[in-house]
Amino acid sequence: GEGTGLGLSLSHDIIVVTLGGKLRVESEEEQYAEFTVVLPGELTRPRTRS
């Protein structure tokens, strides 16, 4: 969670600290950047009115 100018510090705080998830960044300079976000829990659909 340290500043890099990409908003990663804020993303880290939300994903890892607040939500208890994982944030992984893999990159090769001037080639690519891959961001993997893993969030805990189950996905639920919003309830619709019957």
Side-chain angles (χ1 to χ4, degrees), residues 1-35:
E2 197 168 304
T4 62
L6 298 174
L8 294 178
S9 179
L10 180 58
S11 299
H12 173 272
D13 288 350
I14 294 169
I15 294 166
V16 177
V17 177
T18 303
L19 300 175
K22 296 178 183 178
L23 175 63
R24 187 182 85 183
V25 180
E26 185 177 323
S27 67
E28 183 69 38
E29 189 172 344
E30 296 187 23
Q31 297 296 314
Y32 72 95
E34 178 178 283
F35 298 82

